[in-house]
Amino acid sequence: MTPPGGLQAPPGGDAALRARAARVIPAGMWGHLDARRLPAGYPQFFSRAQGGHIWDADGRRYVDLMCSWGPIVLGHHDPVVDAAVAAQSALGDCLNGPAPVMVELCEALVDRVAHAGWAMLQKNGSDATTACVTIARAATGRNTVLIARGSYHGALPWCTPVPVGTTEADRANQLRFDYNDVASLEAAVTAAGHDLAAIIVTGFRHDNVVDQEMPSLAFAQAARRLCDRAGAALIIDDVRAGFRLHRGCSWELLGVDPDLSAWSKAIANGHPLAAVLGRDSFRSAAAKVFVTGSFWCGAVPMAAAVATLGEMDRIGLPERLAELGGYLRAGMARLAQRYAVGLRQSGPMSMPLWLFEDDADFARGSAFCRAALAAGAYLHPKHNMFLNAAHTRADMDAVLAAAEAGFQAIIAA
Amino acid sequence: MTPPGGLQAPPGGDAALRARAARVIPAGMWGHLDARRLPAGYPQFFSRAQGGHIWDADGRRYVDLMCSWGPIVLGHHDPVVDAAVAAQSALGDCLNGPAPVMVELCEALVDRVAHAGWAMLQKNGSDATTACVTIARAATGRNTVLIARGSYHGALPWCTPVPVGTTEADRANQLRFDYNDVASLEAAVTAAGHDLAAIIVTGFRHDNVVDQEMPSLAFAQAARRLCDRAGAALIIDDVRAGFRLHRGCSWELLGVDPDLSAWSKAIANGHPLAAVLGRDSFRSAAAKVFVTGSFWCGAVPMAAAVATLGEMDRIGLPERLAELGGYLRAGMARLAQRYAVGLRQSGPMSMPLWLFEDDADFARGSAFCRAALAAGAYLHPKHNMFLNAAHTRADMDAVLAAAEAGFQAIIAA
């Protein structure tokens, strides 16, 4: 799939774009979409996308199992979302205040999420997690926030996993616990004493580079009980998991409702939007904090969100993705057995993570993903992947065919 | 302009939307676009916009002198920007990595801004100012940042003007000085000692509710000299002023180049985008920090930005807005003299702030703006306003006619 030796890459192709980017962007790229975080051979630049597929800047097509790291949940260019976007765009987007669609969206969010009495909207997942913490502190008059070790809550100084350029003070008033470990959570609550403002926890454990875990019922109930006892806020960071596991908050599957929740990623099928939802008891605190941004009232992403939520319900999104993901998981298990390669598949069906046994250096995962990429499937060797509703069984079969090339590459190595 | 007594507001009109919003949004609205920050009678919701005009949810049309608080710089629905948006949207927006247009945009930004050797892109102005501070700390290995009293650099906990829900630690490692006061800046630098990481300063002084000031040459040169002497970063926050005063960084007008600059607002004519630009000497630090967001590689706002920057150059934006703003300022001065009302007009021509003498309680400003609103001009009584390139002399005449109603309201009160 690489250009034949001796031939130039197409003008505007990945290699040419990387060379230009190296001149005008530090190290050529920033953040989680930096292709240097992936095995060699992965493209950095993408030219277009449709449904369950994506094309790189060299024109190669892939079944897209990253879905832009979560946002694409109905599929690229979903026609219902595109129509809603076109209709709102024709009226207006960034105005001197919100458009009527903001009310419609907040009503839809409050109606669908059990704990939600109100909604506020932002642009980044980090905006939403930060606002949750701010509202929790405003409501309780306390400062200490409990965060699970290894959990990702965004890339602002208080939560970035890479502290370069941040200060100790950015992480003041934080204590750590281990996800799904009730004793460690209880110990952190005890350590917080009378200053416990909030426990923040992701919808499920999707830390980088370790097997994913669903929250245990005991852990979820303990988190709720400890917050109730202390008068603190339970915050679910559903930025990554939200809407793919359940129509409402991911912890509704366990019958546990938080006080505040953070949303983004899949909320508007790729349009930039985030949300904070909260219980009525946190409404007055939410009204007192000052959080805002120049584009937070942009109407087009809100129209996209209303359409996205509607389509999610119409097609029964979580069930559909779970069925499709179950088909993929079973197929992967068969391949792993056939090739006698130890494969751990973890997390919800709709957000699979594939890690290989005996692969501390990710040599196996890298060889697997490189071969699968060359065979037309865009996978990730360390991070959970994402299904979208435009994916078909035929797409999953194509992924499994590409995965077979991956297993063969592992065997050959 | 209000509905005749006894008649219902139209369905979906402002009053009905406010009532619905009050149920699902804390206090009915958040942030700087909350209409409760304006005199009674201002609409909260907007239905559409075109060029230099905006329509509220009750169908009333206004000459728009807020331009969405800055982002709308060419005018609502600029045809060239809309065409670029449509073309990129048809290909893809939120992908597994950037589209080629990201390189094109970063090249355009580096080419046009004198100090810029590289660019990074975000969503919010706060993302950009925060990344500047993070990069400055990473580059210097120091923590202390100097911030002008009253300057607005965003709404994250380290910089929000309303500290409810934030902690003392969020504002650790900060010292204050007074804008345009060299002695106070020197004193803050001395107080920072060997820990000075950066001085951050807005493109001009546009603090809320006080007369605007252009930076003095002595102040700008002192900031540059003090940073050079200390090996610290000079950061210009051009989020609000950027591109309206000058084709490049606003301080280029003074011949002073910063090390890092933050941009947003006008960069993409209303599409959600922000940028950090920096000198080559800060490139390696910028490559080390981890800042990212789910939508930061969205290609559509980048395509909008490329088109916006091109159109700015084609029409000679700063000159055009200055000419139009000068016409408005002269007309306002004539009206103030005719009605013998003390009016202070401050700031650049393209971003006027109007404050009345003897108006500590803003009674005059409020009466003025209410009357002007009823006469079809959307103004602000306390915050600087913004012109855009779709405004015409006829629009300015309409604003002046509405302002005349405002002066008459002041006289009548």
Side-chain angles (χ1 to χ4, degrees):
Chain A
M1 303 294 280
T2 49
L7 288 186
Q8 291 286 319
D14 198 71
L17 288 164
R18 285 189 196 223
R20 287 168 59 193
R23 191 180 73 84
V24 293
I25 296 167
M29 187 54 197
W30 64 82
H32 66 297
L33 300 184
D34 184 345
R36 290 171 304 164
R37 296 170 175 269
L38 288 161
Y42 270 70
Q44 178 64 78
F45 290 90
F46 293 86
S47 57
R48 64 191 178 99
Q50 181 62 44
H53 294 86
I54 194 161
W55 283 256
D56 70 19
D58 291 321
R60 293 180 293 194
R61 189 184 90 144
Y62 310 96
V63 180
D64 177 16
L65 277 204
M66 282 311 286
C67 295
S68 314
W69 296 59
I72 304 301
V73 68
L74 297 174
H76 295 278
H77 286 132
D78 179 82
V80 175
V81 176
D82 279 5
V85 164
Q88 184 61 52
S89 294
L91 294 172
D93 181 19
C94 184
L95 308 168
N96 288 348
V101 70
M102 186 179 83
V103 178
E104 196 182 343
L105 173 57
C106 292
E107 288 174 343
L109 290 167
V110 165
D111 285 352
R112 73 188 292 127
V113 176
H115 71 274
W118 51 264
M120 296 168 75
L121 303 168
Q122 306 86 25
K123 286 289 113 181
N124 301 312
S126 298
D127 297 336
T129 56
T130 303
C132 283
V133 168
T134 303
I135 292 166
R137 285 176 170 152
T140 60
R142 308 176 199 153
N143 289 340
T144 302
V145 175
L146 272 47
I147 304 175
R149 280 182 197 88
S151 282
Y152 182 78
H153 294 296
L156 287 170
W158 71 270
C159 56
T160 181
V162 180
V164 175
T166 68
T167 71
E168 296 276 326
D170 292 325
R171 286 170 295 281
N173 305 302
Q174 298 181 0
L175 292 172
R176 291 294 192 279
F177 62 91
D178 293 315
Y179 201 108
N180 268 344
D181 182 333
V182 173
S184 81
L185 183 61
E186 288 172 338
V189 168
T190 301
H194 296 297
D195 193 49
L196 183 66
I199 299 172
I200 183 168
V201 60
T202 52
F204 69 96
R205 188 180 182 211
H206 46 58
D207 309 349
N208 215 3
V209 190
V210 294
D211 293 334
Q212 301 189 109
E213 287 177 37
M214 299 309 291
S216 73
L217 181 61
F219 175 71
Q221 290 178 337
R224 181 68 273 172
R225 185 178 66 245
L226 290 163
C227 283
D228 287 341
R229 194 180 296 164
L234 177 59
I235 303 169
I236 298 296
D237 174 356
D238 238 354
V239 167
R240 195 186 302 180
F243 304 120
R244 272 193 172 80
L245 276 60
H246 184 269
R247 184 177 181 273
C249 180
S250 297
W251 279 31
E252 289 179 36
L253 292 164
L254 300 165
V256 174
D257 285 318
D259 300 298
L260 298 162
S261 53
W263 307 74
S264 184
K265 296 279 193 192
I267 195 171
N269 202 44
H271 291 266
L273 196 71
V276 171
L277 305 181
R279 275 187 203 268
D280 273 323
S281 51
F282 285 77
R283 183 189 286 260
S284 66
K288 279 182 211 145
V289 304
F290 185 76
V291 291
T292 196
S294 295
F295 309 112
W296 288 15
C297 284
V300 167
M302 296 183 194
V306 169
T308 300
L309 297 173
E311 281 299 283
M312 285 176 180
D313 287 351
R314 189 183 65 78
I315 65 175
L317 182 89
E319 298 76 14
R320 179 157 168 164
L321 295 186
E323 193 278 331
L324 206 61
Y327 178 78
L328 179 63
R329 189 162 300 197
M332 281 296 290
R334 278 193 302 274
L335 285 174
Q337 191 169 34
R338 185 183 314 157
Y339 287 92
V341 170
L343 170 70
R344 300 195 309 275
Q345 303 187 70
S346 64
M349 295 296 167
S350 57
M351 297 170 65
L353 173 66
W354 298 341
L355 296 175
F356 293 95
E357 302 288 357
D358 307 318
D359 197 31
D361 60 355
F362 288 95
R364 291 183 145 199
S366 295
F368 176 89
C369 284
R370 268 200 308 270
L373 187 82
Y378 191 99
L379 311 175
H380 200 291
K382 300 181 180 179
H383 191 282
N384 75 267
M385 297 173 280
F386 300 86
L387 300 187
N388 76 52
H391 284 135
T392 61
R393 285 235 171 169
D395 291 331
M396 296 302 103
D397 288 335
V399 170
L400 290 168
E404 184 145 18
F407 280 109
Q408 288 165 352
I410 289 176
I411 298 297
Chain B
M1 302 294 280
T2 48
L7 288 186
Q8 292 284 319
D14 199 71
L17 288 163
R18 285 189 197 223
R20 288 167 60 192
R23 192 180 72 84
V24 294
I25 296 167
M29 188 53 198
W30 64 82
H32 67 295
L33 300 184
D34 184 345
R36 291 170 303 165
R37 296 170 176 270
L38 288 161
Y42 270 71
Q44 178 65 78
F45 291 91
F46 293 85
S47 57
R48 64 190 177 101
Q50 181 62 45
H53 294 86
I54 193 161
W55 284 257
D56 70 19
D58 292 321
R60 292 181 293 195
R61 188 184 90 144
Y62 310 96
V63 180
D64 177 15
L65 278 205
M66 282 310 285
C67 295
S68 314
W69 295 60
I72 304 300
V73 67
L74 297 175
H76 296 278
H77 286 131
D78 179 83
V80 175
V81 176
D82 278 5
V85 163
Q88 184 61 52
S89 295
L91 294 171
D93 181 17
C94 184
L95 307 168
N96 288 348
V101 70
M102 185 180 84
V103 178
E104 196 182 343
L105 174 57
C106 292
E107 288 174 343
L109 290 167
V110 165
D111 285 352
R112 75 186 292 125
V113 177
H115 70 275
W118 51 264
M120 296 169 76
L121 304 169
Q122 307 86 25
K123 286 290 114 179
N124 301 313
S126 298
D127 297 336
T129 55
T130 304
C132 283
V133 168
T134 303
I135 292 165
R137 285 175 171 155
T140 60
R142 309 176 199 154
N143 290 340
T144 302
V145 174
L146 272 46
I147 304 174
R149 279 182 198 88
S151 282
Y152 182 78
H153 295 296
L156 288 170
W158 72 270
C159 55
T160 181
V162 180
V164 176
T166 68
T167 71
E168 296 276 326
D170 291 326
R171 287 171 294 281
N173 305 302
Q174 297 181 1
L175 293 171
R176 291 294 192 279
F177 63 91
D178 294 314
Y179 201 107
N180 268 345
D181 181 334
V182 173
S184 81
L185 184 61
E186 287 171 339
V189 168
T190 301
H194 296 298
D195 194 49
L196 182 66
I199 299 171
I200 184 169
V201 60
T202 51
F204 69 96
R205 190 180 180 208
H206 45 58
D207 309 349
N208 215 1
V209 189
V210 293
D211 294 333
Q212 303 189 110
E213 288 177 38
M214 299 309 292
S216 72
L217 181 62
F219 175 71
Q221 290 177 337
R224 182 68 272 173
R225 185 179 64 245
L226 290 163
C227 283
D228 287 341
R229 194 179 297 164
L234 177 59
I235 303 169
I236 298 297
D237 174 356
D238 238 354
V239 167
R240 196 186 300 179
F243 303 121
R244 271 191 172 81
L245 275 60
H246 185 269
R247 184 177 181 274
C249 180
S250 296
W251 280 30
E252 290 180 37
L253 291 164
L254 299 165
V256 174
D257 285 317
D259 300 297
L260 298 162
S261 53
W263 306 74
S264 183
K265 295 279 193 193
I267 194 170
N269 202 43
H271 291 266
L273 196 70
V276 171
L277 304 181
R279 275 186 203 266
D280 273 323
S281 50
F282 285 77
R283 183 188 286 260
S284 65
K288 279 182 211 145
V289 305
F290 186 75
V291 292
T292 196
S294 294
F295 309 112
W296 288 15
C297 284
V300 167
M302 295 182 194
V306 169
T308 300
L309 297 174
E311 282 298 283
M312 286 177 180
D313 286 351
R314 189 182 65 77
I315 65 175
L317 183 89
E319 299 75 15
R320 179 157 168 166
L321 296 185
E323 193 279 331
L324 206 61
Y327 179 79
L328 179 62
R329 190 163 299 196
M332 282 296 290
R334 278 193 302 274
L335 285 174
Q337 191 170 36
R338 185 183 315 156
Y339 286 93
V341 172
L343 170 69
R344 300 194 309 276
Q345 304 187 72
S346 64
M349 294 296 167
S350 56
M351 298 171 64
L353 173 67
W354 299 340
L355 295 175
F356 293 96
E357 302 288 357
D358 307 316
D359 197 30
D361 61 356
F362 288 95
R364 291 182 144 200
S366 296
F368 176 89
C369 283
R370 267 200 309 270
L373 188 81
Y378 191 98
L379 311 176
H380 200 292
K382 299 181 182 181
H383 191 282
N384 74 267
M385 297 174 280
F386 300 86
L387 300 188
N388 76 52
H391 284 134
T392 61
R393 284 235 173 171
D395 291 330
M396 297 301 104
D397 288 335
V399 170
L400 290 168
E404 184 146 17
F407 281 109
Q408 288 164 352
I410 289 176
I411 297 296

